[in-house]
Amino acid sequence: MNKNISALSLLAATSIALAACAAPTPQVVEKIVEKPVDKIVEKIVEKPVEKIVEKVVAPTAKPVVEITLWHAFGTASAEEKAMSSAVAFMSQIKPDIKLKVVQIPFDQIYKKFETEVAAGGGPDMFIAPDDELGNQVNAKLLQPLDDLLKGKLDGVSPAAVKAHTVGGKQWAVPATFKAVALYYNMDKVKEAPKTTDALLAAVKGGAKIGINPGCYHNFGFYNAFGGAIFNADYSSATDKADGVAAALSYLKDLKAATGAANFFDDGGKADASFREGKVDMIINGPWVLGDYRKDLGAKLGVVPMPAGPKGAATPLTGVDGFYVNVNSKKAVAAVDAALFLTNKDSQKLFMDVAGWVPVRTDVEIADAAVKNFQVAAAAGYNRPQVKELNGYWGNFCGTFDEVLKKGDDPKAAVTKAFDGMKKANGK
């Protein structure tokens, strides 16, 4: 009896020693229970402890998955720097995912993605505004992400989630809201103009505004003057044509007041003019906030586009997101990476460095400029993911050239644009 008690005590002590030395997930040592206790004691005494353990399974490292990510951020821009920092941080936290980041010029990224994916290739994932989301879904270039995102977007604004929902499916991991607002140099413009009348008066009084003449940057002025492009069913809002024409007439007056030298076809030149202090105001988006701050510092102010005589300005509101290529076999890892790059810490990083408006509702916005961009986005016209929007781009963008460059009558030019869009869209 004493012999068995001693043997069991020795066995227990040995087991404790083995447990302390073992790897996190060891295999069962030997079929000890099948042998008499005295035999076990003899074996333990005769052989070193390591001989008893037949095999210890070492923890298996996860295989590294490489994900190719395209972006269109400008070289050395605040957005590119924020992305580099976020990717570097992710490499420490998630070493099993390696991001191969590739920069593609913004004016090429959509077409290049479409071409390469259609040929069976392309990156695993790309980040961009939702400009082409509807077209890319219709062309079957993207993977729906509903299953991979189930329960993982609870902290994201419903408006951001909705922006990437087409045909009842979720097509992207939301990253940031984007809408244009009015930047101004506070040293030169002491009081930010809140209305279109105040803006025109300031320019007539000597302030300079750099005008981007495009149909994107100036979309918000339509509602300010009582105009609209679409009805609720995306048919042509021809009964609002007078308001659209009034917006173009206003821009024509604004151009005359600021001078032809401050009217730009090239957005890069418009940016440079503001950053160099040649103009005092410009309408642009949050994607340049970090870059403008490098030059203007504390002098930089941001307010929503000025309201007009008929209502608030409603710029187009878009949401950048991470989209997964339909050809990618690494969707799980791609979505995992996208979720990391849009988590609370990453959202704060992009906000602080690049001026992004967070899509997460748990990120506090203390920066006044970012807050005003959030206000602008919330008040904006949500970019519709419908084919009818192509009819707008194809007809109204030329209208700005006709009115602001050639001096054509705004009302006649708008009537022509609506006729073209109605023909293109069939409604």
Side-chain angles (χ1 to χ4, degrees):
M1 187 70 174
N2 292 337
K3 179 181 178 181
N4 288 340
I5 292 173
S6 300
L8 288 172
S9 299
L10 180 57
L11 176 60
T14 305
S15 299
I16 292 170
L18 288 173
C21 298
T25 54
Q27 288 189 340
V28 175
V29 178
E30 288 185 357
K31 294 182 179 178
I32 294 174
V33 293
E34 295 181 2
K35 299 181 181 181
V37 173
D38 55 336
K39 294 294 185 182
I40 298 171
V41 174
E42 179 184 359
K43 184 169 185 177
I44 292 173
V45 171
E46 290 178 355
K47 297 182 180 181
V49 173
E50 64 267 20
K51 295 293 185 180
I52 300 172
V53 183
E54 292 180 348
K55 184 178 180 182
V56 176
V57 180
T60 304
K62 288 184 179 180
V64 176
V65 180
E66 182 173 276
I67 300 295
T68 300
L69 169 66
W70 285 4
H71 71 76
F73 306 140
T75 301
S77 67
E79 286 189 305
E80 186 181 56
K81 290 175 181 177
M83 177 60 77
S84 296
S85 296
V87 169
F89 183 55
M90 194 188 93
S91 69
Q92 299 175 30
I93 306 300
K94 290 184 173 291
D96 54 311
I97 300 177
K98 179 181 178 182
L99 280 177
K100 179 182 178 183
V101 181
V102 181
Q103 180 200 46
I104 306 294
F106 183 74
D107 61 354
Q108 299 176 26
I109 193 166
Y110 295 112
K111 186 64 177 176
K112 185 173 177 64
F113 181 81
E114 292 162 11
T115 301
E116 293 198 13
V117 174
D124 295 292
M125 179 168 65
F126 81 113
I127 178 173
D130 53 358
D131 297 16
E132 294 293 325
L133 176 56
N135 294 329
Q136 291 179 341
V137 169
N138 292 334
K140 296 179 170 51
L141 302 176
L142 304 173
Q143 291 193 37
L145 305 178
D146 302 74
D147 291 341
L148 295 176
L149 292 177
K150 189 174 182 180
K152 297 179 180 178
L153 296 179
D154 293 342
V156 177
S157 163
V161 174
K162 184 178 179 181
H164 293 144
T165 303
V166 178
K169 295 182 178 181
Q170 184 71 19
W171 298 94
V173 178
T176 180
F177 286 107
K178 287 187 175 176
V180 298
L182 179 69
Y183 285 98
Y184 67 104
N185 185 326
M186 291 191 287
D187 273 2
K188 298 181 179 180
V189 180
K190 299 303 181 183
E191 184 176 351
K194 303 290 179 59
T195 66
T196 51
D197 283 347
L199 175 59
L200 184 58
V203 174
K204 286 182 176 180
K208 299 294 183 183
I209 183 169
I211 299 176
N212 279 308
C215 53
Y216 168 75
H217 283 81
N218 298 297
F219 187 97
F221 283 122
Y222 300 149
N223 190 74
F225 286 88
I229 299 299
F230 297 115
N231 295 313
D233 63 351
Y234 300 110
S235 59
S236 301
T238 52
D239 60 325
K240 301 289 186 180
D242 285 349
V244 176
L248 284 167
S249 293
Y250 173 78
L251 288 170
K252 195 174 182 180
D253 292 342
L254 198 61
K255 176 189 174 183
T258 195
N262 299 318
F263 179 81
F264 300 92
D265 283 332
D266 186 321
K269 291 180 179 178
D271 282 346
S273 185
F274 180 68
R275 294 174 71 174
E276 293 167 5
K278 295 177 181 177
V279 298
D280 313 317
M281 296 177 283
I282 190 170
I283 291 173
N284 215 338
W287 52 88
V288 291
L289 176 55
D291 300 318
Y292 283 2
R293 273 191 168 146
K294 286 191 300 185
D295 296 299
L296 277 79
K299 297 184 293 184
L300 183 67
V302 177
V303 292
M305 289 178 67
K310 299 291 187 178
T314 53
L316 273 174
T317 296
V319 180
D320 283 19
F322 290 88
Y323 309 89
V324 178
N325 181 349
V326 70
N327 299 324
S328 177
K329 306 301 182 186
K330 307 170 187 175
V332 173
V335 168
D336 194 16
L339 287 170
F340 184 92
L341 295 173
T342 56
N343 67 20
K344 185 177 179 179
D345 290 336
S346 294
Q347 287 267 282
K348 188 174 186 311
L349 185 155
F350 277 101
M351 178 179 67
D352 292 343
V353 175
W356 276 18
V357 178
V359 293
R360 291 192 61 87
T361 57
D362 55 359
V363 178
E364 182 180 355
I365 303 175
D367 186 291
V370 176
K371 189 69 177 177
N372 277 329
F373 272 118
Q374 184 188 50
V375 171
Y381 181 82
N382 294 325
R383 180 191 292 268
Q385 299 302 329
V386 294
K387 61 182 178 60
E388 287 82 3
L389 188 59
N390 295 328
Y392 168 71
W393 302 126
N395 290 278
F396 279 86
C397 292
T399 301
F400 281 82
D401 289 341
E402 293 168 3
V403 173
L404 299 179
K405 291 183 182 179
K406 299 177 183 177
D408 289 2
D409 175 63
K411 196 165 186 177
V414 168
T415 298
K416 177 183 172 184
F418 267 117
D419 288 344
M421 186 173 78
K422 194 171 182 180
K423 182 177 180 181
N425 292 343
K427 58 182 180 181

